[in-house]
Amino acid sequence: MERPAWAPQGIDISVPSVSRMYDFYLGGSHNFEVDREAARKAMEFLPGLPKIMQANRAFMRRAVRYAVGEGIDQFLDIGSGIPTFGNVHEVAQAADPRAKVAYVDHDPVAVAHSQAVLEGNDLAVIAAADLRRPKEILANPAITGLLDLDRPVALLLVAVLHFIEDADDPRSAVAELREALAPGSLVILTHASYEGIPLSKEEADGTVGVYRNIRNPLIMRTREEIGAFFEGYEMVEPGLVSMPEWRPETPQSPEQEDPYAFSGFGGVGRKA
Ligand SMILES: C[S@@+](CC[C@H](N)C(=O)[O-])C[C@H]1O[C@@H](n2cnc3c(N)ncnc32)[C@H](O)[C@@H]1O
């Protein structure tokens, strides 16, 4: 298969990637047939997957606007993905043109595409790093050169922790990041879960099976397990809830939303 100009040298385009599958669910164009095929397979079990992703992106934008409203002007977005539209720097800098955003992803396509999108923006960077190695993130010169970690930061862990298996100890990784942040910092987080919408066993197992087959397991966690990622932080109202229920900006009854949008949880915690 021909490698398009946007795809960096050396990536394996015969294997699906979760960031390119996510790009496909959101209607982006930075994906290959292998990604689309895996995404379509997952959607056979869970046709509402794109709805879940849209609810996730909408939550992220509301949470970023909330953070700016609370006086936060620095953002660390880990597992930032392939930029589609309404990215953290666009939302944050629309509300506060001085807002600084450091993106982190371990996927080479996400990193290359972010570099292209951020060219000419002195207040945003992308670093290639792994959430499982938080020390490297906190010491990364591109990040420490932009963000002042002695001042409050909004740390985004949006739709990324469900790709980290318990064996890789995501709780310790997140604890290390939480501890490194200054008082007044926020953690903005979403995570996939079987709780919320009533998924049949077939839908749930089928979807998880697609991700297992591409060797990027999707780890569903309970609301309680997800809440533990905020340990020591105070939850901002309304707490850890399904994504459309977190501070909706337009009055809308839940019945107007697609039921799939209520799968998974999102929340914001504040360091006292
Ligand atoms: C579903 S996308 C979410 C993108 C964005 N945060 C959003 O919610 O719109 C998950 C992203 O996390 C990245 N990711 C997965 N595991 C990671 C890890 N261990 N370290 C850094 N990034 C990771 C993937 O490459 C992918 O781009």
Side-chain angles (χ1 to χ4, degrees), residues 18-19 22 56-57 60 77 79-81 105-107 129-132 158-160 163-164:
V18 291
S19 67
Y22 184 67
N56 176 68
R57 294 287 292 181
M60 182 188 85
D77 181 4
S80 48
D105 207 289
H106 72 165
D107 179 283
D130 197 310
L131 175 53
R132 290 166 294 189
V158 178
V160 60
F163 294 119
I164 306 208

Short mmCIF file of all heavy atoms in Angstrom, two decimals, residues 18-19 22 56-57 60 77 79-81 105-107 129-132 158-160 163-164, ligand 1:
data_model
loop_
_atom_site.label_atom_id
_atom_site.label_comp_id
_atom_site.label_asym_id
_atom_site.label_seq_id
_atom_site.Cartn_x
_atom_site.Cartn_y
_atom_site.Cartn_z
N VAL A 18 -5.37 2.64 17.21
CA VAL A 18 -6.57 3.17 17.88
C VAL A 18 -6.76 4.65 17.57
O VAL A 18 -7.88 5.13 17.49
CB VAL A 18 -6.59 2.94 19.41
CG1 VAL A 18 -6.76 1.47 19.72
CG2 VAL A 18 -5.40 3.52 20.12
N SER A 19 -5.65 5.38 17.36
CA SER A 19 -5.84 6.81 17.10
C SER A 19 -6.42 7.01 15.70
O SER A 19 -7.25 7.89 15.48
CB SER A 19 -4.54 7.60 17.30
OG SER A 19 -3.60 7.23 16.35
N TYR A 22 -10.09 6.06 15.79
CA TYR A 22 -10.84 7.14 16.44
C TYR A 22 -11.08 8.28 15.44
O TYR A 22 -12.17 8.85 15.37
CB TYR A 22 -10.03 7.62 17.64
CG TYR A 22 -10.68 8.67 18.50
CD1 TYR A 22 -11.83 8.39 19.24
CD2 TYR A 22 -10.14 9.94 18.59
CE1 TYR A 22 -12.40 9.35 20.05
CE2 TYR A 22 -10.70 10.90 19.40
CZ TYR A 22 -11.84 10.61 20.12
OH TYR A 22 -12.39 11.56 20.93
N ASN A 56 -17.80 12.36 23.91
CA ASN A 56 -16.49 12.51 24.56
C ASN A 56 -15.83 13.84 24.16
O ASN A 56 -15.35 14.60 25.00
CB ASN A 56 -15.64 11.32 24.14
CG ASN A 56 -14.22 11.39 24.66
OD1 ASN A 56 -14.01 11.29 25.86
ND2 ASN A 56 -13.25 11.59 23.78
N ARG A 57 -15.85 14.14 22.87
CA ARG A 57 -15.24 15.40 22.38
C ARG A 57 -16.00 16.61 22.93
O ARG A 57 -15.39 17.60 23.31
CB ARG A 57 -15.26 15.47 20.85
CG ARG A 57 -14.42 14.46 20.14
CD ARG A 57 -12.95 14.70 20.22
NE ARG A 57 -12.48 15.87 19.50
CZ ARG A 57 -11.20 16.23 19.43
NH1 ARG A 57 -10.28 15.52 20.05
NH2 ARG A 57 -10.83 17.30 18.76
N MET A 60 -15.07 17.15 26.46
CA MET A 60 -13.72 17.71 26.55
C MET A 60 -13.75 19.23 26.33
O MET A 60 -13.12 19.98 27.07
CB MET A 60 -12.84 17.03 25.50
CG MET A 60 -11.40 17.46 25.51
SD MET A 60 -10.54 16.77 24.09
CE MET A 60 -10.94 17.98 22.85
N ASP A 77 -2.33 17.71 27.70
CA ASP A 77 -3.32 16.79 27.14
C ASP A 77 -2.60 15.50 26.73
O ASP A 77 -1.93 15.47 25.70
CB ASP A 77 -3.99 17.47 25.94
CG ASP A 77 -5.06 16.61 25.29
OD1 ASP A 77 -5.36 15.52 25.80
OD2 ASP A 77 -5.61 17.04 24.25
N GLY A 79 -2.47 11.66 25.47
CA GLY A 79 -3.33 10.78 24.65
C GLY A 79 -4.22 11.68 23.81
O GLY A 79 -5.42 11.48 23.70
N SER A 80 -3.58 12.71 23.22
CA SER A 80 -4.35 13.79 22.57
C SER A 80 -4.93 13.37 21.23
O SER A 80 -5.90 13.96 20.77
CB SER A 80 -3.46 15.02 22.41
OG SER A 80 -2.20 14.67 21.86
N GLY A 81 -4.33 12.38 20.57
CA GLY A 81 -4.92 11.85 19.34
C GLY A 81 -4.58 12.64 18.09
O GLY A 81 -3.76 13.55 18.10
N ASP A 105 1.31 12.25 22.81
CA ASP A 105 0.73 11.00 22.30
C ASP A 105 1.89 10.07 21.95
O ASP A 105 3.01 10.54 21.71
CB ASP A 105 -0.15 11.23 21.06
CG ASP A 105 -1.23 10.17 20.91
OD1 ASP A 105 -0.89 9.00 20.59
OD2 ASP A 105 -2.42 10.47 21.14
N HIS A 106 1.64 8.77 21.96
CA HIS A 106 2.72 7.86 21.59
C HIS A 106 2.56 7.32 20.17
O HIS A 106 3.36 6.54 19.71
CB HIS A 106 2.86 6.72 22.62
CG HIS A 106 1.74 5.71 22.56
ND1 HIS A 106 1.83 4.48 23.15
CD2 HIS A 106 0.53 5.75 21.97
CE1 HIS A 106 0.70 3.82 22.94
NE2 HIS A 106 -0.09 4.55 22.24
N ASP A 107 1.50 7.76 19.50
CA ASP A 107 1.23 7.27 18.15
C ASP A 107 1.91 8.20 17.13
O ASP A 107 1.67 9.42 17.14
CB ASP A 107 -0.28 7.26 17.92
CG ASP A 107 -0.64 6.78 16.53
OD1 ASP A 107 -0.50 7.57 15.57
OD2 ASP A 107 -1.04 5.62 16.39
N ALA A 129 5.46 10.83 23.71
CA ALA A 129 5.79 10.22 25.01
C ALA A 129 4.66 9.27 25.39
O ALA A 129 3.59 9.27 24.76
CB ALA A 129 5.99 11.30 26.07
N ASP A 130 4.91 8.48 26.43
CA ASP A 130 3.99 7.41 26.82
C ASP A 130 3.45 7.66 28.23
O ASP A 130 4.23 7.87 29.16
CB ASP A 130 4.76 6.08 26.77
CG ASP A 130 3.80 4.91 26.75
OD1 ASP A 130 2.89 4.86 27.59
OD2 ASP A 130 3.97 4.04 25.87
N LEU A 131 2.14 7.62 28.33
CA LEU A 131 1.48 7.82 29.62
C LEU A 131 1.97 6.83 30.68
O LEU A 131 1.93 7.11 31.87
CB LEU A 131 -0.04 7.71 29.41
CG LEU A 131 -0.99 7.75 30.59
CD1 LEU A 131 -0.75 8.97 31.48
CD2 LEU A 131 -2.43 7.75 30.11
N ARG A 132 2.42 5.67 30.21
CA ARG A 132 2.90 4.66 31.18
C ARG A 132 4.24 5.05 31.79
O ARG A 132 4.69 4.41 32.73
CB ARG A 132 3.00 3.28 30.49
CG ARG A 132 1.62 2.71 30.17
CD ARG A 132 1.73 1.54 29.22
NE ARG A 132 2.20 1.96 27.91
CZ ARG A 132 2.23 1.19 26.84
NH1 ARG A 132 1.82 -0.05 26.92
NH2 ARG A 132 2.68 1.64 25.68
N VAL A 158 -8.20 12.14 28.43
CA VAL A 158 -9.52 11.97 27.83
C VAL A 158 -9.49 10.80 26.86
O VAL A 158 -8.73 10.80 25.89
CB VAL A 158 -9.95 13.30 27.13
CG1 VAL A 158 -11.30 13.13 26.46
CG2 VAL A 158 -10.01 14.43 28.14
N ALA A 159 -10.28 9.78 27.18
CA ALA A 159 -10.39 8.57 26.35
C ALA A 159 -9.02 7.93 26.10
O ALA A 159 -8.74 7.49 24.99
CB ALA A 159 -11.10 8.88 25.03
N VAL A 160 -8.20 7.89 27.10
CA VAL A 160 -6.88 7.26 26.93
C VAL A 160 -6.62 6.17 27.97
O VAL A 160 -6.02 5.14 27.65
CB VAL A 160 -5.73 8.32 26.93
CG1 VAL A 160 -5.66 9.12 28.21
CG2 VAL A 160 -4.39 7.67 26.65
N PHE A 163 -7.05 2.45 27.45
CA PHE A 163 -6.10 1.67 26.64
C PHE A 163 -4.91 1.21 27.46
O PHE A 163 -3.96 0.66 26.92
CB PHE A 163 -5.63 2.49 25.43
CG PHE A 163 -6.75 2.76 24.44
CD1 PHE A 163 -7.15 4.04 24.14
CD2 PHE A 163 -7.41 1.70 23.83
CE1 PHE A 163 -8.19 4.29 23.25
CE2 PHE A 163 -8.44 1.93 22.93
CZ PHE A 163 -8.84 3.22 22.64
N ILE A 164 -4.95 1.45 28.76
CA ILE A 164 -3.82 1.03 29.61
C ILE A 164 -4.28 -0.09 30.54
O ILE A 164 -5.19 0.09 31.35
CB ILE A 164 -3.26 2.22 30.40
CG1 ILE A 164 -2.93 3.30 29.37
CG2 ILE A 164 -2.03 1.79 31.21
CD1 ILE A 164 -1.86 4.24 29.69
C1 LIG B 1 -9.40 7.56 21.56
S1 LIG B 1 -8.00 8.62 21.31
C2 LIG B 1 -8.45 10.04 22.27
C3 LIG B 1 -7.99 11.35 21.70
C4 LIG B 1 -8.42 12.60 22.48
N1 LIG B 1 -7.91 12.57 23.84
C5 LIG B 1 -9.91 12.71 22.52
O1 LIG B 1 -10.51 12.26 23.50
O2 LIG B 1 -10.51 13.21 21.58
C6 LIG B 1 -6.78 7.85 22.35
C7 LIG B 1 -5.38 8.35 22.10
O3 LIG B 1 -4.54 7.89 23.17
C8 LIG B 1 -3.29 7.53 22.63
N2 LIG B 1 -2.65 6.61 23.57
C9 LIG B 1 -3.00 5.32 23.87
N3 LIG B 1 -2.16 4.81 24.78
C10 LIG B 1 -1.23 5.78 25.05
C11 LIG B 1 -0.09 5.85 25.89
N4 LIG B 1 0.26 4.80 26.64
N5 LIG B 1 0.62 6.99 25.93
C12 LIG B 1 0.28 8.05 25.15
N6 LIG B 1 -0.80 8.05 24.33
C13 LIG B 1 -1.54 6.93 24.27
C14 LIG B 1 -3.62 6.89 21.29
O4 LIG B 1 -2.50 6.90 20.42
C15 LIG B 1 -4.75 7.78 20.81
O5 LIG B 1 -4.27 8.84 20.03
#
